[in-house]
Amino acid sequence: DQQVKQNSPSLSVQEGRISILNCDYTNSMFDYFLWYKKYPAEGPTFLISISSIKDKNEDGRFTVFLNKSAKHLSLHIVPSQPGDSAVYFCAASLGGANSKLTFGKGITLSVRP
Amino acid sequence: DTGVSQNPRHKITKRGQNVTFRCDPISEHNRLYWYRQTLGQGPEFLTYFQNEAQLEKSRLLSDRFSAERPKGSFSTLEIQRTEQGDSAMYLCASSPQSGLSYNEQFFGPGTRLTVL
């Protein structure tokens, strides 16, 4: 049972445009959500996170939006750059002492120059 | 470099052999996690330590798998009698117990295991 779902396996956008990466979850007890970026042959790199008590968190070109009623979150990258091309994972945790992460399958973002 | 380190980066072994991987977390982090990632999937949780105590193990962690963190610093993950299905990337992550980053896990580069 996939509790965190990234239904689109890939996304291609033009440099300078917005990239929108979507993620859905089924467990309403998830309390904290994170996005990781992964290049081939490297471990995931933390990008941005959001607590369930917020609906938006922004860090430079990256913004994460959380819609708890829809159990949906999205990562916006504006403007997209070729160096953003990577696999992006959405992850969720129950928070507090139970902090293991549940990941989606990832989405491959390609930013065309 | 003060990030999470893992050794070896690559391991090729024959079916039935035992293998051991090591993870050195960020020094001030007392939480340490092991995940496994196979092709086309996201990382899957295996086990979690807070200091030297192993607090949770996934049902993915069969009896052939054992993890230790003897002094609350580095950790080892051992797989006995390896099977071809064990071929995967084994990732280690660490996080602090408190502070602004306590919900965030920082990953090492992983150990790629290939079982022939």
Side-chain angles (χ1 to χ4, degrees), chain B residues 14-90:
Chain B
K14 293 183 179 179
R15 188 176 55 186
Q17 298 294 304
N18 299 344
V19 294
T20 300
F21 311 140
R22 174 176 171 133
C23 170
D24 288 87
I26 294 171
S27 59
E28 62 269 24
H29 287 182
N30 57 0
R31 294 180 174 183
L32 186 147
Y33 309 81
W34 285 97
Y35 293 84
R36 181 175 68 187
Q37 185 179 15
T38 54
L39 196 63
Q41 302 294 318
E44 295 175 292
F45 170 78
L46 292 178
T47 190
Y48 155 53
F49 290 86
Q50 182 160 307
N51 299 312
E52 66 275 10
Q54 188 174 19
L55 297 186
E56 186 173 356
K57 292 194 294 186
S58 165
R59 61 179 184 274
L60 292 176
L61 215 66
S62 76
D63 292 344
R64 298 184 297 104
F65 288 70
S66 63
E68 294 182 341
R69 195 183 182 196
K71 295 183 179 180
S73 56
F74 72 92
S75 175
T76 57
L77 177 67
E78 181 183 17
I79 309 174
Q80 297 182 329
R81 305 181 303 282
T82 53
E83 301 173 355
Q84 287 184 326
D86 297 331
S87 296
M89 174 75 83
Y90 290 84

Side-chain angles (χ1 to χ4, degrees), chain A residues 1-2 31-32 34 36 38 41-46 49 89 93 95-106, chain B residues 9 31 33 35 37 40-45 48 50 55-56 89 91 95 100 102-110:
Chain A
D1 178 31
Q2 194 82 10
D31 189 52
Y32 204 79
L34 308 90
Y36 284 84
K38 187 178 184 303
E42 294 183 10
T45 301
F46 170 74
S49 62
F89 291 99
S93 83
N98 193 341
S99 54
K100 68 182 179 187
L101 296 179
T102 301
F103 284 83
K105 291 186 177 183
Chain B
R9 293 292 307 276
R31 294 180 174 183
Y33 309 81
Y35 293 84
Q37 185 179 15
Q41 302 294 318
E44 295 175 292
F45 170 78
Y48 155 53
Q50 182 160 307
L55 297 186
E56 186 173 356
M89 174 75 83
L91 294 162
S95 69
L100 292 176
Y102 85 100
N103 272 312
E104 298 160 10
Q105 295 179 22
F106 299 86
F107 283 81

